[in-house]
Amino acid sequence: DVKVTQSSRYLVKRTGEKVFLECVQDMDHENMFWYRQDPGLGLRLIYFSYDVKMKEKGDIPEGYSVSREKKERFSLILESASTNQTSMYLCATKTGRVTGELFFGEGSRLTVL
Amino acid sequence: GQNIDQPTEMTATEGAIVQINCTYQTSGFNGLFWYQQHAGEAPTFLSYNVLDGLEEKGRFSSFLSRSKGYSYLLLKELQMKDSASYLCAVKDSNYQLIWGAGTKLIIKP
């Protein structure tokens, strides 16, 4: 079974703090994604990566950056957290670039005060 | 713009059948996914349709009509553990996923 592990289930940060969310997968998938999930909205893609050192902007990249130094690890960074970044953050991986289903981590619920 | 519509919430009775609809308007179509998400947990893959028709997988079936921009997820013999949100997602012409807001299904005894 694919295992996608997100470093923190719950975080509380203050406005302006730098936030790191880490995601590690154990199935050698090349493709990794960061989404945010908010009530009443569909999942929104923040960034994705098809390979090590490679990153592509999704639909809502503003205020976020990412790092993919190793194949199994994809980090989401909030340089200066704001209250509108309070959300559930979901990491996902998949095998094929255009095929295959997503495997999700359990999510990181971030509250910015 | 691209849009996926699903009912916000549905209620059904244990042992019954429920159909969750999903309609979409997207730039191109390369397949439709259904995911299940229990409260506080990760979404998990249920089904994938790329051709018209019905795909059956145990108690769950998924139907697609590309000409109508329509899909449904059919859950039979409902169990309490089926209480969850069901997410519909369409892969567009660029192979990017467009997600619906999800349907929260409540099962009552």
Side-chain angles (χ1 to χ4, degrees):
Chain A
D1 281 353
V2 174
K3 190 163 178 61
V4 183
T5 304
Q6 294 185 227
S7 55
S8 306
R9 291 295 304 274
Y10 300 95
L11 303 95
V12 179
K13 299 291 182 181
R14 297 207 174 273
T15 301
E17 282 192 87
K18 191 168 187 175
V19 182
F20 290 90
L21 299 179
E22 285 209 314
C23 175
V24 179
Q25 51 107 351
D26 68 355
M27 283 299 291
D28 205 35
H29 286 178
E30 293 184 343
N31 307 285
M32 297 189 75
F33 305 80
W34 275 106
Y35 286 93
R36 64 179 281 177
Q37 185 174 35
D38 298 291
L41 298 177
L43 296 181
R44 291 182 292 169
L45 182 63
I46 304 170
Y47 267 97
F48 59 101
S49 171
Y50 289 142
D51 202 351
V52 176
K53 306 273 189 188
M54 179 272 180
K55 59 186 179 185
E56 291 279 351
K57 292 180 180 179
D59 299 318
I60 53 162
E62 296 78 20
Y64 303 95
S65 62
V66 290
S67 172
R68 183 108 182 258
E69 295 296 319
K70 293 184 178 181
K71 190 174 186 178
E72 67 272 16
R73 191 178 297 268
F74 192 35
S75 301
L76 181 69
I77 303 152
L78 288 68
E79 293 289 342
S80 178
S82 63
T83 55
N84 63 13
Q85 292 178 310
T86 292
S87 187
M88 171 68 84
Y89 290 88
L90 291 168
C91 175
T93 77
K94 72 184 180 86
T95 52
R97 185 161 175 165
V98 297
T99 59
E101 73 269 25
L102 289 168
F103 295 87
F104 285 90
E106 292 202 332
S108 298
R109 183 165 293 282
L110 172 66
T111 301
V112 183
L113 301 175
Chain B
Q2 309 204 87
N3 195 49
I4 311 284
D5 284 317
Q6 313 178 227
T8 303
E9 189 175 293
M10 299 181 71
T11 303
T13 305
E14 191 177 15
I17 299 173
V18 72
Q19 177 176 310
I20 302 174
N21 295 326
C22 171
T23 57
Y24 61 89
Q25 301 91 37
T26 56
S27 55
F29 178 85
N30 280 299
L32 184 145
F33 292 87
W34 284 97
Y35 285 80
Q36 179 190 59
Q37 186 178 24
H38 287 101
E41 297 183 12
T44 55
F45 169 76
L46 286 178
S47 67
Y48 175 65
N49 295 70
V50 65
L51 299 176
D52 291 349
L54 187 68
E55 296 272 347
E56 295 187 76
K57 198 185 287 186
R59 293 188 300 113
F60 291 13
S61 303
S62 57
F63 172 83
L64 174 67
S65 168
R66 288 172 295 171
S67 63
K68 295 182 179 178
Y70 168 68
S71 172
Y72 66 73
L73 182 68
L74 191 72
L75 291 73
K76 302 177 184 176
E77 300 168 15
L78 285 169
Q79 301 175 10
M80 296 304 292
K81 68 179 182 180
D82 298 329
S83 290
S85 289
Y86 292 86
L87 313 180
C88 174
V90 171
K91 204 182 330 182
D92 70 9
S93 57
N94 294 318
Y95 296 92
Q96 299 302 313
L97 282 176
I98 313 301
W99 294 83
T103 300
K104 182 178 181 180
L105 177 63
I106 300 166
I107 310 297
K108 295 187 175 179

